[in-house]
Amino acid sequence: MKELLMIAIGSALVNNVVLSQFLGLCPFLGVSKKMDTAAGMGGAVIFVLTLSSLCTSIIYNLVLVKLGMEYMQTIVFILVIAALVQLVEMFLKKAMPALYKSLGVYLPLITTNCAVLGVALLNVQNEYGILAGTVNGFATAVGFTIAIVLMAGIREKIEYNDVPKPFRGMPIVLLTAGLMSIAFFGFSGLIR
């Protein structure tokens, strides 16, 4: 249990997928303009990353390793992730059309979000079992959600501030992301 807690804290805060590993920057920068869309994207990523970690761990440990086909991991992982994103997209289109519209092109981009594939590959690299891999996926997604919601909150506040003309738009966003990244490095002492 202690090991799973360490994996969870490490994945969510210490090795935050966006702010420490710099994976998943496209949706992080693109969807973090408004708090509600950022939270929606975070929820979608939590669902996809948790389920993809579970499915890829099961497939890798129980199928690919047993058949000696570990070299197929990347292709299989991409197929699993694409199928899960399709499920999320169909669900959101039917159940929450406003959120589906506001996420726009960024929802299908979860398929190519390097954070989702990166977690699946890190689970294999770190030799996590099915439970540890799923916990890692969930915690990584929570860390992504924390980062994107924080960024959305900051961006909403920046909108009403007097930002110098050369820094308006993406420059201030990138500066903010850099400062957030530095702040998250403060968590590095939590786990040894």
Side-chain angles (χ1 to χ4, degrees):
M1 188 66 179
K2 182 180 176 185
E3 180 185 336
L4 293 177
L5 184 62
M6 297 301 269
I7 289 171
I9 292 171
S11 297
L13 298 175
V14 178
N15 297 315
N16 186 284
V17 71
V18 176
L19 300 173
S20 294
Q21 298 177 7
F22 307 112
L23 298 173
L25 289 175
C26 181
F28 174 71
L29 296 173
V31 183
S32 63
K33 291 177 184 168
K34 300 251 181 263
M35 198 73 125
D36 55 343
T37 55
M41 176 59 88
V45 169
I46 286 173
F47 179 79
V48 169
L49 234 163
T50 304
L51 277 181
S52 72
S53 293
L54 174 67
C55 293
T56 56
S57 291
I58 290 171
I59 291 170
Y60 181 79
N61 290 313
L62 300 180
V63 177
L64 296 179
V65 171
K66 299 249 192 252
L67 296 174
M69 297 175 63
E70 294 92 340
Y71 60 90
M72 294 290 291
Q73 70 187 12
T74 305
I75 294 170
V76 171
F77 292 173
I78 289 171
L79 291 173
V80 168
I81 292 165
L84 288 171
V85 170
Q86 282 301 115
L87 287 173
V88 169
E89 194 171 359
M90 289 187 306
F91 173 77
L92 287 179
K93 191 174 187 178
K94 197 76 166 164
M96 299 178 212
L99 179 59
Y100 174 78
K101 258 188 185 163
S102 67
L103 290 175
V105 72
Y106 294 101
L107 186 59
L109 280 178
I110 295 175
T111 303
T112 59
N113 185 342
C114 53
V116 180
L117 179 60
V119 169
L121 294 173
L122 283 172
N123 286 342
V124 170
Q125 181 182 349
N126 293 333
E127 298 177 357
Y128 289 152
I130 295 169
L131 180 60
T134 306
V135 167
N136 183 45
F138 176 74
T140 300
V142 168
F144 176 87
T145 303
I146 290 169
I148 197 169
V149 167
L150 282 174
M151 176 61 95
I154 293 169
R155 284 180 79 172
E156 283 184 356
K157 296 291 183 191
I158 288 175
E159 193 174 305
Y160 300 109
N161 290 325
D162 187 26
V163 177
K165 195 169 187 168
F167 290 104
R168 288 185 190 151
M170 196 49 69
I172 194 70
V173 172
L174 293 173
L175 243 147
T176 304
L179 291 172
M180 286 176 63
S181 182
I182 291 170
F184 266 71
F185 277 121
F187 292 120
S188 61
L190 283 177
I191 297 179
R192 296 197 183 261

